[in-house]
Amino acid sequence: MKVGFIGLGNVGGKLSGSLLRNGTDLWVHDLNPDFVAAKIALGAKDGGTPANMMQSCDAVITCLPSPAASAAVLEQMLPHVGAGKIWMEMSTTDEAEVKKIGAEVIKAGGAAVDCPVSGGCHRADTGNISIYAGCDRPTFERILPLLTLMGRRVLHTGPLGSASVLKVMTNYLATANLLTLCEALTVMKAAGMDLATTFDAISISSGTSFVHETESQLLLSGSRDVNFTMDLVQKDIGLFQKLAEAHDVPLEISPLIIEMMRDGQHRYGERAQSDRMIERLEEATGLDVRAPGFPDTLIDDEPEERGYEIHPTR
């Protein structure tokens, strides 16, 4: 299968790297020519344009920063969609948008999948990230071999759009967890607790989480560089809030999180690293919430292995 990959940024660059590492016939495209050149040096082919990639490839993956970016790329590819072609949207995007564009792909004779990832850039880099996939079952069976090269655990979530709904939920939860960890660590510092001991106490408790096990280390080391910027957080939590409003669910925490993140952007920049949110509390208290011995970057030390489908147990 010839595969096209459009969008070679923080996540897309790593996912496409996993495909290359595992021998995929890969064609790539990005607005940054340096990103394209780096992948060509590893064995990829220059896709040229999105239109050319849809013409040349069996499946084209998009991994882009916004629904608008995906829509613009699909506009170029749609005239070249036909029977046997697959569009795979790996961006975190809006359910309505992916269903709208996907319907056009299907009308043209192709197949459409929303297949966002979850687990952090460090796991995307090793092929150990998790992947959701929303599409009909026959399409899922066709793309599963590709997905298992990029991710460890693959979940078929249901029809097109369902994966995007679940993904914005998980990013909302991760953001809420990040903000509560910022508060918890700052309060422990103010109370005179050793922060390394605090980290371990959380890790072995009912309060632990994936976000704690990863991002707390970056908060405490002071690097605060998780490869995920505040503008992307705002996009994702905004999509979750939009989903709640569409279904008349009166949320209380979500609007507060959006406002807190907006304040962080005002202080540190629209595209500041999301972990810098702890600096709001450091500035308010005069405390330095750091501790020695924690890493500046996250490294996935699990060995890479071929992924597999997760089957619901209930």
Side-chain angles (χ1 to χ4, degrees):
M1 178 183 282
K2 292 182 180 179
V3 180
F5 205 110
I6 301 175
L8 305 174
N10 277 338
V11 176
K14 295 173 175 60
L15 294 172
S16 58
S18 291
L19 291 174
L20 275 175
R21 193 168 57 250
N22 287 283
T24 305
D25 184 3
L26 190 69
W27 303 54
V28 296
H29 175 71
D30 194 279
L31 294 179
N32 187 326
D34 292 339
F35 291 172
V36 174
K39 287 294 181 282
I40 291 173
L42 295 174
K45 300 178 182 68
D46 187 347
T49 66
N52 182 63
M53 292 176 77
M54 184 57 77
Q55 286 179 301
S56 304
C57 299
D58 302 297
V60 178
I61 298 168
T62 49
C63 191
L64 298 163
S66 69
S70 290
V73 165
L74 260 295
E75 185 177 356
Q76 298 177 56
M77 293 197 296
L78 270 173
H80 308 286
V81 173
K85 301 287 187 178
I86 308 172
W87 168 53
M88 299 168 60
E89 172 64 288
M90 299 196 80
S91 320
T92 300
T93 191
D94 178 57
E95 173 204 14
E97 184 70 17
V98 78
K99 288 170 77 171
K100 174 187 172 184
I101 298 175
E104 295 180 43
V105 171
I106 293 167
K107 183 179 178 180
V113 188
D114 59 324
C115 45
V117 300
S118 184
C121 282
H122 64 301
R123 289 190 173 178
D125 202 24
T126 59
N128 287 329
I129 204 162
S130 297
I131 304 177
Y132 302 151
C135 58
D136 60 77
R137 187 69 199 187
T139 299
F140 178 76
E141 297 287 354
R142 286 179 65 194
I143 63 168
L144 183 58
L146 275 183
L147 297 181
T148 57
L149 296 178
M150 293 184 283
R152 173 75 66 85
R153 299 169 184 86
V154 181
L155 178 66
H156 182 213
T157 58
L160 181 68
S162 60
S164 295
V165 170
L166 290 169
K167 177 58 195 293
V168 298
M169 174 202 69
T170 63
N171 280 18
Y172 167 73
L173 291 171
T175 305
N177 199 184
L178 169 64
L179 296 178
T180 57
L181 282 165
C182 289
E183 293 188 348
L185 292 172
T186 305
V187 171
M188 291 302 98
K189 175 70 173 185
M193 297 302 300
D194 176 77
L195 290 179
T197 301
T198 298
F199 178 88
D200 289 337
I202 298 172
S203 297
I204 64 172
S205 77
S206 59
T208 196
S209 65
F210 176 81
V211 176
H212 167 66
E213 292 166 1
T214 54
E215 293 191 56
S216 285
Q217 299 189 70
L218 303 179
L219 296 174
L220 293 172
S221 73
S223 82
R224 282 111 196 231
D225 185 356
V226 72
N227 272 321
F228 202 66
T229 52
M230 291 187 188
D231 60 321
L232 296 178
V233 173
Q234 282 286 34
K235 179 200 70 172
D236 296 348
I237 60 179
L239 288 171
F240 180 76
Q241 178 65 30
K242 178 181 176 182
L243 185 65
E245 291 170 358
H247 293 281
D248 300 317
V249 182
L251 301 183
E252 297 177 73
I253 297 174
S254 174
L256 178 58
I257 291 174
I258 291 171
E259 183 56 37
M260 291 171 70
M261 293 301 305
R262 188 175 293 124
D263 179 67
Q265 289 182 289
H266 176 74
R267 291 170 185 255
Y268 311 120
E270 293 288 314
R271 304 201 71 245
Q273 289 292 318
S274 57
D275 283 353
R276 292 193 65 188
M277 288 297 288
I278 197 169
E279 294 173 21
R280 296 167 70 247
L281 290 166
E282 289 180 319
E283 292 169 6
T285 62
L287 297 171
D288 182 358
V289 188
R290 291 183 293 179
F294 289 92
D296 289 334
T297 58
L298 297 175
I299 297 173
D300 181 20
D301 56 7
E302 288 187 65
E304 182 176 7
E305 63 180 50
R306 187 68 179 256
Y308 51 89
E309 180 182 359
I310 293 291
H311 297 277
T313 57
R314 293 174 180 84

